[in-house]
Amino acid sequence: MAEDKTYPMTEEGQVKLEKELEDLKVNQRPEIINRIKIARSYGDLSENSEYESAKNEQSLLENRIKTVEHMLQYAEIIDSDQIDDTEVSVGKIVTFKELPDEEPESYTIVGAAEADPMEGKISNDSPIAKGLIGHHVDEEVSIEIPAGSMKVKILKVENA
């Protein structure tokens, strides 16, 4: 992981990551350690699927802990109140419509760590967010997406 990469996120996203890290360390880590201890007591480790499974889970858990710690260490908290009310940025809800005559869509732009498309939260690294960030209400923007390009008009920007 590159030390100079920052992770833009809202304050809410930072709190969510801190809670996840605490859960990983305080609840999940001891549970997996206990499962490894129990699996070891079954004897021969070379044919012990419970042991292998628990060790694999431990590896995944430790990697997630390192990732979350890294993201928190290099977090860049975005205060959308400090950005022009009409400018699209992380921490804002943007409403736009695809031109010429599609229905309006609204998304909250958040850091990658807090993205949840099912809740209407898209990552600042997504093609749509990248194309919208820095633009203002009433602008028409051409956005490059995997399927080609789309032209949108920004209708409204508000704080999340």
Side-chain angles (χ1 to χ4, degrees), residues 33-67:
I33 290 171
N34 191 44
R35 285 184 41 217
I36 291 171
K37 195 182 300 183
I38 291 169
R40 274 192 174 141
S41 71
Y42 296 154
D44 185 9
L45 297 180
S46 65
E47 296 179 17
N48 188 329
S49 63
E50 289 89 356
Y51 177 78
E52 285 299 316
S53 174
K55 287 298 282 182
N56 286 338
E57 279 187 56
Q58 182 183 39
S59 176
L60 292 172
L61 176 82
E62 294 302 326
N63 283 336
R64 181 63 185 162
I65 288 172
K66 284 180 186 170
T67 298

PDB file of all heavy atoms in Angstrom, residues 33-67:
ATOM      1  N   ILE A  33      -9.284 -17.007  17.232  1.00  0.00           N
ATOM      2  CA  ILE A  33      -8.184 -17.600  18.011  1.00  0.00           C
ATOM      3  C   ILE A  33      -8.712 -18.785  18.814  1.00  0.00           C
ATOM      4  O   ILE A  33      -8.066 -19.838  18.883  1.00  0.00           O
ATOM      5  CB  ILE A  33      -7.518 -16.544  18.923  1.00  0.00           C
ATOM      6  CG1 ILE A  33      -6.733 -15.553  18.062  1.00  0.00           C
ATOM      7  CG2 ILE A  33      -6.612 -17.200  19.966  1.00  0.00           C
ATOM      8  CD1 ILE A  33      -6.214 -14.333  18.807  1.00  0.00           C
ATOM      9  N   ASN A  34      -9.886 -18.637  19.388  1.00  0.00           N
ATOM     10  CA  ASN A  34     -10.493 -19.733  20.154  1.00  0.00           C
ATOM     11  C   ASN A  34     -10.814 -20.922  19.247  1.00  0.00           C
ATOM     12  O   ASN A  34     -10.603 -22.080  19.626  1.00  0.00           O
ATOM     13  CB  ASN A  34     -11.749 -19.238  20.878  1.00  0.00           C
ATOM     14  CG  ASN A  34     -12.267 -20.241  21.872  1.00  0.00           C
ATOM     15  OD1 ASN A  34     -11.488 -20.829  22.636  1.00  0.00           O
ATOM     16  ND2 ASN A  34     -13.569 -20.451  21.874  1.00  0.00           N
ATOM     17  N   ARG A  35     -11.324 -20.639  18.044  1.00  0.00           N
ATOM     18  CA  ARG A  35     -11.628 -21.725  17.106  1.00  0.00           C
ATOM     19  C   ARG A  35     -10.366 -22.466  16.697  1.00  0.00           C
ATOM     20  O   ARG A  35     -10.382 -23.690  16.537  1.00  0.00           O
ATOM     21  CB  ARG A  35     -12.344 -21.172  15.871  1.00  0.00           C
ATOM     22  CG  ARG A  35     -13.793 -20.816  16.179  1.00  0.00           C
ATOM     23  CD  ARG A  35     -14.592 -20.349  14.997  1.00  0.00           C
ATOM     24  NE  ARG A  35     -14.334 -21.104  13.788  1.00  0.00           N
ATOM     25  CZ  ARG A  35     -14.297 -20.556  12.570  1.00  0.00           C
ATOM     26  NH1 ARG A  35     -14.495 -19.274  12.410  1.00  0.00           N
ATOM     27  NH2 ARG A  35     -14.065 -21.304  11.519  1.00  0.00           N
ATOM     28  N   ILE A  36      -9.261 -21.747  16.538  1.00  0.00           N
ATOM     29  CA  ILE A  36      -7.983 -22.391  16.199  1.00  0.00           C
ATOM     30  C   ILE A  36      -7.538 -23.290  17.349  1.00  0.00           C
ATOM     31  O   ILE A  36      -7.096 -24.426  17.140  1.00  0.00           O
ATOM     32  CB  ILE A  36      -6.895 -21.335  15.868  1.00  0.00           C
ATOM     33  CG1 ILE A  36      -7.235 -20.640  14.548  1.00  0.00           C
ATOM     34  CG2 ILE A  36      -5.506 -21.963  15.821  1.00  0.00           C
ATOM     35  CD1 ILE A  36      -6.365 -19.443  14.232  1.00  0.00           C
ATOM     36  N   LYS A  37      -7.671 -22.783  18.565  1.00  0.00           N
ATOM     37  CA  LYS A  37      -7.281 -23.548  19.752  1.00  0.00           C
ATOM     38  C   LYS A  37      -8.092 -24.845  19.847  1.00  0.00           C
ATOM     39  O   LYS A  37      -7.539 -25.919  20.084  1.00  0.00           O
ATOM     40  CB  LYS A  37      -7.511 -22.686  21.002  1.00  0.00           C
ATOM     41  CG  LYS A  37      -6.832 -23.208  22.241  1.00  0.00           C
ATOM     42  CD  LYS A  37      -7.123 -22.363  23.462  1.00  0.00           C
ATOM     43  CE  LYS A  37      -6.644 -20.935  23.274  1.00  0.00           C
ATOM     44  NZ  LYS A  37      -6.854 -20.101  24.466  1.00  0.00           N
ATOM     45  N   ILE A  38      -9.379 -24.756  19.616  1.00  0.00           N
ATOM     46  CA  ILE A  38     -10.247 -25.938  19.671  1.00  0.00           C
ATOM     47  C   ILE A  38      -9.871 -26.923  18.562  1.00  0.00           C
ATOM     48  O   ILE A  38      -9.765 -28.128  18.790  1.00  0.00           O
ATOM     49  CB  ILE A  38     -11.737 -25.540  19.578  1.00  0.00           C
ATOM     50  CG1 ILE A  38     -12.154 -24.801  20.854  1.00  0.00           C
ATOM     51  CG2 ILE A  38     -12.622 -26.749  19.334  1.00  0.00           C
ATOM     52  CD1 ILE A  38     -13.516 -24.127  20.767  1.00  0.00           C
ATOM     53  N   ALA A  39      -9.659 -26.395  17.360  1.00  0.00           N
ATOM     54  CA  ALA A  39      -9.317 -27.260  16.220  1.00  0.00           C
ATOM     55  C   ALA A  39      -7.982 -27.969  16.449  1.00  0.00           C
ATOM     56  O   ALA A  39      -7.824 -29.130  16.057  1.00  0.00           O
ATOM     57  CB  ALA A  39      -9.278 -26.444  14.935  1.00  0.00           C
ATOM     58  N   ARG A  40      -7.022 -27.278  17.091  1.00  0.00           N
ATOM     59  CA  ARG A  40      -5.732 -27.910  17.399  1.00  0.00           C
ATOM     60  C   ARG A  40      -5.907 -29.102  18.321  1.00  0.00           C
ATOM     61  O   ARG A  40      -5.157 -30.068  18.226  1.00  0.00           O
ATOM     62  CB  ARG A  40      -4.802 -26.906  18.063  1.00  0.00           C
ATOM     63  CG  ARG A  40      -4.031 -26.077  17.118  1.00  0.00           C
ATOM     64  CD  ARG A  40      -2.938 -25.331  17.870  1.00  0.00           C
ATOM     65  NE  ARG A  40      -2.109 -24.641  16.914  1.00  0.00           N
ATOM     66  CZ  ARG A  40      -1.616 -23.438  17.102  1.00  0.00           C
ATOM     67  NH1 ARG A  40      -1.845 -22.797  18.228  1.00  0.00           N
ATOM     68  NH2 ARG A  40      -0.880 -22.879  16.178  1.00  0.00           N
ATOM     69  N   SER A  41      -6.871 -29.008  19.214  1.00  0.00           N
ATOM     70  CA  SER A  41      -7.074 -30.091  20.184  1.00  0.00           C
ATOM     71  C   SER A  41      -7.585 -31.370  19.526  1.00  0.00           C
ATOM     72  O   SER A  41      -7.560 -32.429  20.125  1.00  0.00           O
ATOM     73  CB  SER A  41      -8.045 -29.648  21.282  1.00  0.00           C
ATOM     74  OG  SER A  41      -9.356 -29.552  20.764  1.00  0.00           O
ATOM     75  N   TYR A  42      -8.021 -31.292  18.278  1.00  0.00           N
ATOM     76  CA  TYR A  42      -8.511 -32.471  17.568  1.00  0.00           C
ATOM     77  C   TYR A  42      -7.381 -33.378  17.094  1.00  0.00           C
ATOM     78  O   TYR A  42      -7.624 -34.445  16.564  1.00  0.00           O
ATOM     79  CB  TYR A  42      -9.380 -32.075  16.372  1.00  0.00           C
ATOM     80  CG  TYR A  42     -10.661 -31.356  16.732  1.00  0.00           C
ATOM     81  CD1 TYR A  42     -11.248 -30.486  15.830  1.00  0.00           C
ATOM     82  CD2 TYR A  42     -11.281 -31.529  17.957  1.00  0.00           C
ATOM     83  CE1 TYR A  42     -12.418 -29.809  16.136  1.00  0.00           C
ATOM     84  CE2 TYR A  42     -12.448 -30.857  18.278  1.00  0.00           C
ATOM     85  CZ  TYR A  42     -13.003 -30.003  17.362  1.00  0.00           C
ATOM     86  OH  TYR A  42     -14.165 -29.343  17.675  1.00  0.00           O
ATOM     87  N   GLY A  43      -6.149 -32.936  17.220  1.00  0.00           N
ATOM     88  CA  GLY A  43      -5.024 -33.792  16.858  1.00  0.00           C
ATOM     89  C   GLY A  43      -4.353 -33.397  15.561  1.00  0.00           C
ATOM     90  O   GLY A  43      -4.113 -32.225  15.317  1.00  0.00           O
ATOM     91  N   ASP A  44      -4.064 -34.376  14.729  1.00  0.00           N
ATOM     92  CA  ASP A  44      -3.307 -34.229  13.482  1.00  0.00           C
ATOM     93  C   ASP A  44      -3.781 -33.030  12.666  1.00  0.00           C
ATOM     94  O   ASP A  44      -4.885 -33.012  12.148  1.00  0.00           O
ATOM     95  CB  ASP A  44      -3.438 -35.514  12.658  1.00  0.00           C
ATOM     96  CG  ASP A  44      -2.592 -35.491  11.408  1.00  0.00           C
ATOM     97  OD1 ASP A  44      -1.775 -34.557  11.257  1.00  0.00           O
ATOM     98  OD2 ASP A  44      -2.742 -36.404  10.581  1.00  0.00           O
ATOM     99  N   LEU A  45      -2.913 -32.032  12.538  1.00  0.00           N
ATOM    100  CA  LEU A  45      -3.281 -30.797  11.847  1.00  0.00           C
ATOM    101  C   LEU A  45      -3.274 -30.953  10.332  1.00  0.00           C
ATOM    102  O   LEU A  45      -3.906 -30.181   9.625  1.00  0.00           O
ATOM    103  CB  LEU A  45      -2.339 -29.653  12.242  1.00  0.00           C
ATOM    104  CG  LEU A  45      -2.357 -29.253  13.718  1.00  0.00           C
ATOM    105  CD1 LEU A  45      -1.382 -28.101  13.957  1.00  0.00           C
ATOM    106  CD2 LEU A  45      -3.748 -28.868  14.169  1.00  0.00           C
ATOM    107  N   SER A  46      -2.564 -31.968   9.809  1.00  0.00           N
ATOM    108  CA  SER A  46      -2.457 -32.130   8.359  1.00  0.00           C
ATOM    109  C   SER A  46      -3.791 -32.515   7.718  1.00  0.00           C
ATOM    110  O   SER A  46      -4.000 -32.268   6.537  1.00  0.00           O
ATOM    111  CB  SER A  46      -1.386 -33.161   8.012  1.00  0.00           C
ATOM    112  OG  SER A  46      -1.773 -34.434   8.484  1.00  0.00           O
ATOM    113  N   GLU A  47      -4.674 -33.131   8.464  1.00  0.00           N
ATOM    114  CA  GLU A  47      -5.982 -33.527   7.921  1.00  0.00           C
ATOM    115  C   GLU A  47      -7.128 -32.877   8.691  1.00  0.00           C
ATOM    116  O   GLU A  47      -8.224 -33.418   8.769  1.00  0.00           O
ATOM    117  CB  GLU A  47      -6.124 -35.048   7.958  1.00  0.00           C
ATOM    118  CG  GLU A  47      -5.111 -35.745   7.073  1.00  0.00           C
ATOM    119  CD  GLU A  47      -5.236 -37.254   7.123  1.00  0.00           C
ATOM    120  OE1 GLU A  47      -6.284 -37.751   7.572  1.00  0.00           O
ATOM    121  OE2 GLU A  47      -4.285 -37.925   6.692  1.00  0.00           O
ATOM    122  N   ASN A  48      -6.870 -31.711   9.269  1.00  0.00           N
ATOM    123  CA  ASN A  48      -7.848 -31.060  10.127  1.00  0.00           C
ATOM    124  C   ASN A  48      -8.474 -29.874   9.377  1.00  0.00           C
ATOM    125  O   ASN A  48      -7.924 -28.781   9.345  1.00  0.00           O
ATOM    126  CB  ASN A  48      -7.136 -30.597  11.404  1.00  0.00           C
ATOM    127  CG  ASN A  48      -8.074 -30.084  12.456  1.00  0.00           C
ATOM    128  OD1 ASN A  48      -9.117 -29.546  12.144  1.00  0.00           O
ATOM    129  ND2 ASN A  48      -7.687 -30.243  13.708  1.00  0.00           N
ATOM    130  N   SER A  49      -9.631 -30.099   8.782  1.00  0.00           N
ATOM    131  CA  SER A  49     -10.272 -29.050   7.978  1.00  0.00           C
ATOM    132  C   SER A  49     -10.755 -27.879   8.836  1.00  0.00           C
ATOM    133  O   SER A  49     -10.756 -26.743   8.374  1.00  0.00           O
ATOM    134  CB  SER A  49     -11.428 -29.628   7.162  1.00  0.00           C
ATOM    135  OG  SER A  49     -12.429 -30.129   8.017  1.00  0.00           O
ATOM    136  N   GLU A  50     -11.140 -28.148  10.073  1.00  0.00           N
ATOM    137  CA  GLU A  50     -11.569 -27.059  10.962  1.00  0.00           C
ATOM    138  C   GLU A  50     -10.402 -26.112  11.236  1.00  0.00           C
ATOM    139  O   GLU A  50     -10.557 -24.891  11.249  1.00  0.00           O
ATOM    140  CB  GLU A  50     -12.118 -27.590  12.301  1.00  0.00           C
ATOM    141  CG  GLU A  50     -13.451 -28.262  12.199  1.00  0.00           C
ATOM    142  CD  GLU A  50     -13.337 -29.758  11.914  1.00  0.00           C
ATOM    143  OE1 GLU A  50     -12.198 -30.263  11.726  1.00  0.00           O
ATOM    144  OE2 GLU A  50     -14.380 -30.414  11.846  1.00  0.00           O
ATOM    145  N   TYR A  51      -9.218 -26.704  11.442  1.00  0.00           N
ATOM    146  CA  TYR A  51      -8.023 -25.899  11.691  1.00  0.00           C
ATOM    147  C   TYR A  51      -7.682 -25.056  10.459  1.00  0.00           C
ATOM    148  O   TYR A  51      -7.438 -23.853  10.565  1.00  0.00           O
ATOM    149  CB  TYR A  51      -6.853 -26.814  12.069  1.00  0.00           C
ATOM    150  CG  TYR A  51      -5.555 -26.081  12.285  1.00  0.00           C
ATOM    151  CD1 TYR A  51      -5.317 -25.384  13.464  1.00  0.00           C
ATOM    152  CD2 TYR A  51      -4.567 -26.087  11.304  1.00  0.00           C
ATOM    153  CE1 TYR A  51      -4.130 -24.705  13.668  1.00  0.00           C
ATOM    154  CE2 TYR A  51      -3.372 -25.405  11.495  1.00  0.00           C
ATOM    155  CZ  TYR A  51      -3.155 -24.719  12.676  1.00  0.00           C
ATOM    156  OH  TYR A  51      -1.980 -24.043  12.871  1.00  0.00           O
ATOM    157  N   GLU A  52      -7.666 -25.681   9.285  1.00  0.00           N
ATOM    158  CA  GLU A  52      -7.361 -24.962   8.043  1.00  0.00           C
ATOM    159  C   GLU A  52      -8.339 -23.817   7.808  1.00  0.00           C
ATOM    160  O   GLU A  52      -7.953 -22.717   7.432  1.00  0.00           O
ATOM    161  CB  GLU A  52      -7.383 -25.915   6.842  1.00  0.00           C
ATOM    162  CG  GLU A  52      -6.179 -26.827   6.758  1.00  0.00           C
ATOM    163  CD  GLU A  52      -4.874 -26.064   6.612  1.00  0.00           C
ATOM    164  OE1 GLU A  52      -4.812 -25.105   5.813  1.00  0.00           O
ATOM    165  OE2 GLU A  52      -3.909 -26.425   7.314  1.00  0.00           O
ATOM    166  N   SER A  53      -9.617 -24.093   8.020  1.00  0.00           N
ATOM    167  CA  SER A  53     -10.651 -23.080   7.821  1.00  0.00           C
ATOM    168  C   SER A  53     -10.447 -21.902   8.769  1.00  0.00           C
ATOM    169  O   SER A  53     -10.514 -20.738   8.360  1.00  0.00           O
ATOM    170  CB  SER A  53     -12.032 -23.708   8.039  1.00  0.00           C
ATOM    171  OG  SER A  53     -13.031 -22.727   7.985  1.00  0.00           O
ATOM    172  N   ALA A  54     -10.189 -22.197  10.030  1.00  0.00           N
ATOM    173  CA  ALA A  54      -9.990 -21.137  11.022  1.00  0.00           C
ATOM    174  C   ALA A  54      -8.729 -20.329  10.711  1.00  0.00           C
ATOM    175  O   ALA A  54      -8.717 -19.103  10.862  1.00  0.00           O
ATOM    176  CB  ALA A  54      -9.920 -21.732  12.423  1.00  0.00           C
ATOM    177  N   LYS A  55      -7.656 -20.982  10.265  1.00  0.00           N
ATOM    178  CA  LYS A  55      -6.420 -20.269   9.918  1.00  0.00           C
ATOM    179  C   LYS A  55      -6.650 -19.365   8.701  1.00  0.00           C
ATOM    180  O   LYS A  55      -6.146 -18.238   8.663  1.00  0.00           O
ATOM    181  CB  LYS A  55      -5.281 -21.263   9.625  1.00  0.00           C
ATOM    182  CG  LYS A  55      -4.720 -21.962  10.855  1.00  0.00           C
ATOM    183  CD  LYS A  55      -4.107 -21.022  11.861  1.00  0.00           C
ATOM    184  CE  LYS A  55      -2.730 -20.576  11.427  1.00  0.00           C
ATOM    185  NZ  LYS A  55      -2.072 -19.690  12.395  1.00  0.00           N
ATOM    186  N   ASN A  56      -7.419 -19.845   7.722  1.00  0.00           N
ATOM    187  CA  ASN A  56      -7.734 -19.011   6.557  1.00  0.00           C
ATOM    188  C   ASN A  56      -8.549 -17.787   6.970  1.00  0.00           C
ATOM    189  O   ASN A  56      -8.293 -16.675   6.510  1.00  0.00           O
ATOM    190  CB  ASN A  56      -8.486 -19.817   5.501  1.00  0.00           C
ATOM    191  CG  ASN A  56      -7.592 -20.788   4.768  1.00  0.00           C
ATOM    192  OD1 ASN A  56      -6.384 -20.623   4.720  1.00  0.00           O
ATOM    193  ND2 ASN A  56      -8.188 -21.826   4.205  1.00  0.00           N
ATOM    194  N   GLU A  57      -9.524 -17.993   7.841  1.00  0.00           N
ATOM    195  CA  GLU A  57     -10.331 -16.867   8.331  1.00  0.00           C
ATOM    196  C   GLU A  57      -9.464 -15.881   9.103  1.00  0.00           C
ATOM    197  O   GLU A  57      -9.644 -14.667   8.987  1.00  0.00           O
ATOM    198  CB  GLU A  57     -11.473 -17.368   9.223  1.00  0.00           C
ATOM    199  CG  GLU A  57     -12.662 -17.860   8.456  1.00  0.00           C
ATOM    200  CD  GLU A  57     -13.829 -18.191   9.374  1.00  0.00           C
ATOM    201  OE1 GLU A  57     -14.252 -17.300  10.148  1.00  0.00           O
ATOM    202  OE2 GLU A  57     -14.292 -19.331   9.306  1.00  0.00           O
ATOM    203  N   GLN A  58      -8.527 -16.412   9.883  1.00  0.00           N
ATOM    204  CA  GLN A  58      -7.630 -15.547  10.639  1.00  0.00           C
ATOM    205  C   GLN A  58      -6.798 -14.685   9.685  1.00  0.00           C
ATOM    206  O   GLN A  58      -6.626 -13.484   9.920  1.00  0.00           O
ATOM    207  CB  GLN A  58      -6.715 -16.384  11.529  1.00  0.00           C
ATOM    208  CG  GLN A  58      -5.777 -15.536  12.373  1.00  0.00           C
ATOM    209  CD  GLN A  58      -4.811 -16.367  13.195  1.00  0.00           C
ATOM    210  OE1 GLN A  58      -4.295 -17.389  12.721  1.00  0.00           O
ATOM    211  NE2 GLN A  58      -4.563 -15.939  14.423  1.00  0.00           N
ATOM    212  N   SER A  59      -6.321 -15.271   8.625  1.00  0.00           N
ATOM    213  CA  SER A  59      -5.532 -14.527   7.643  1.00  0.00           C
ATOM    214  C   SER A  59      -6.365 -13.412   7.015  1.00  0.00           C
ATOM    215  O   SER A  59      -5.893 -12.271   6.893  1.00  0.00           O
ATOM    216  CB  SER A  59      -5.022 -15.484   6.567  1.00  0.00           C
ATOM    217  OG  SER A  59      -4.346 -14.779   5.574  1.00  0.00           O
ATOM    218  N   LEU A  60      -7.592 -13.731   6.616  1.00  0.00           N
ATOM    219  CA  LEU A  60      -8.470 -12.714   6.034  1.00  0.00           C
ATOM    220  C   LEU A  60      -8.771 -11.603   7.035  1.00  0.00           C
ATOM    221  O   LEU A  60      -8.772 -10.420   6.686  1.00  0.00           O
ATOM    222  CB  LEU A  60      -9.781 -13.357   5.557  1.00  0.00           C
ATOM    223  CG  LEU A  60      -9.671 -14.308   4.366  1.00  0.00           C
ATOM    224  CD1 LEU A  60     -11.007 -15.017   4.123  1.00  0.00           C
ATOM    225  CD2 LEU A  60      -9.241 -13.552   3.118  1.00  0.00           C
ATOM    226  N   LEU A  61      -9.016 -11.983   8.275  1.00  0.00           N
ATOM    227  CA  LEU A  61      -9.315 -11.006   9.327  1.00  0.00           C
ATOM    228  C   LEU A  61      -8.124 -10.076   9.552  1.00  0.00           C
ATOM    229  O   LEU A  61      -8.288  -8.855   9.624  1.00  0.00           O
ATOM    230  CB  LEU A  61      -9.681 -11.726  10.627  1.00  0.00           C
ATOM    231  CG  LEU A  61      -9.909 -10.811  11.823  1.00  0.00           C
ATOM    232  CD1 LEU A  61     -11.316 -10.242  11.792  1.00  0.00           C
ATOM    233  CD2 LEU A  61      -9.661 -11.535  13.118  1.00  0.00           C
ATOM    234  N   GLU A  62      -6.922 -10.637   9.659  1.00  0.00           N
ATOM    235  CA  GLU A  62      -5.733  -9.820   9.899  1.00  0.00           C
ATOM    236  C   GLU A  62      -5.476  -8.875   8.726  1.00  0.00           C
ATOM    237  O   GLU A  62      -5.076  -7.727   8.930  1.00  0.00           O
ATOM    238  CB  GLU A  62      -4.510 -10.694  10.182  1.00  0.00           C
ATOM    239  CG  GLU A  62      -4.604 -11.477  11.486  1.00  0.00           C
ATOM    240  CD  GLU A  62      -4.808 -10.626  12.730  1.00  0.00           C
ATOM    241  OE1 GLU A  62      -4.296  -9.487  12.802  1.00  0.00           O
ATOM    242  OE2 GLU A  62      -5.495 -11.097  13.659  1.00  0.00           O
ATOM    243  N   ASN A  63      -5.726  -9.344   7.499  1.00  0.00           N
ATOM    244  CA  ASN A  63      -5.584  -8.460   6.335  1.00  0.00           C
ATOM    245  C   ASN A  63      -6.590  -7.318   6.387  1.00  0.00           C
ATOM    246  O   ASN A  63      -6.255  -6.175   6.065  1.00  0.00           O
ATOM    247  CB  ASN A  63      -5.751  -9.244   5.033  1.00  0.00           C
ATOM    248  CG  ASN A  63      -4.522 -10.056   4.694  1.00  0.00           C
ATOM    249  OD1 ASN A  63      -3.422  -9.745   5.128  1.00  0.00           O
ATOM    250  ND2 ASN A  63      -4.717 -11.121   3.931  1.00  0.00           N
ATOM    251  N   ARG A  64      -7.816  -7.614   6.782  1.00  0.00           N
ATOM    252  CA  ARG A  64      -8.833  -6.559   6.880  1.00  0.00           C
ATOM    253  C   ARG A  64      -8.454  -5.551   7.963  1.00  0.00           C
ATOM    254  O   ARG A  64      -8.611  -4.344   7.777  1.00  0.00           O
ATOM    255  CB  ARG A  64     -10.223  -7.159   7.152  1.00  0.00           C
ATOM    256  CG  ARG A  64     -11.326  -6.130   7.250  1.00  0.00           C
ATOM    257  CD  ARG A  64     -11.518  -5.362   5.958  1.00  0.00           C
ATOM    258  NE  ARG A  64     -12.510  -4.297   6.128  1.00  0.00           N
ATOM    259  CZ  ARG A  64     -12.651  -3.276   5.335  1.00  0.00           C
ATOM    260  NH1 ARG A  64     -11.900  -3.162   4.251  1.00  0.00           N
ATOM    261  NH2 ARG A  64     -13.541  -2.347   5.560  1.00  0.00           N
ATOM    262  N   ILE A  65      -7.947  -6.027   9.093  1.00  0.00           N
ATOM    263  CA  ILE A  65      -7.514  -5.137  10.169  1.00  0.00           C
ATOM    264  C   ILE A  65      -6.429  -4.193   9.655  1.00  0.00           C
ATOM    265  O   ILE A  65      -6.493  -2.977   9.866  1.00  0.00           O
ATOM    266  CB  ILE A  65      -7.026  -5.937  11.402  1.00  0.00           C
ATOM    267  CG1 ILE A  65      -8.222  -6.575  12.119  1.00  0.00           C
ATOM    268  CG2 ILE A  65      -6.226  -5.043  12.363  1.00  0.00           C
ATOM    269  CD1 ILE A  65      -7.851  -7.540  13.229  1.00  0.00           C
ATOM    270  N   LYS A  66      -5.434  -4.745   8.941  1.00  0.00           N
ATOM    271  CA  LYS A  66      -4.358  -3.909   8.402  1.00  0.00           C
ATOM    272  C   LYS A  66      -4.910  -2.874   7.415  1.00  0.00           C
ATOM    273  O   LYS A  66      -4.500  -1.719   7.425  1.00  0.00           O
ATOM    274  CB  LYS A  66      -3.306  -4.775   7.706  1.00  0.00           C
ATOM    275  CG  LYS A  66      -2.400  -5.498   8.653  1.00  0.00           C
ATOM    276  CD  LYS A  66      -1.387  -6.336   7.894  1.00  0.00           C
ATOM    277  CE  LYS A  66      -0.572  -7.167   8.868  1.00  0.00           C
ATOM    278  NZ  LYS A  66       0.248  -8.163   8.185  1.00  0.00           N
ATOM    279  N   THR A  67      -5.848  -3.299   6.569  1.00  0.00           N
ATOM    280  CA  THR A  67      -6.431  -2.387   5.582  1.00  0.00           C
ATOM    281  C   THR A  67      -7.173  -1.242   6.263  1.00  0.00           C
ATOM    282  O   THR A  67      -6.998  -0.074   5.916  1.00  0.00           O
ATOM    283  CB  THR A  67      -7.384  -3.154   4.641  1.00  0.00           C
ATOM    284  OG1 THR A  67      -6.630  -4.145   3.939  1.00  0.00           O
ATOM    285  CG2 THR A  67      -8.061  -2.221   3.653  1.00  0.00           C
TER     286      THR A  67
END
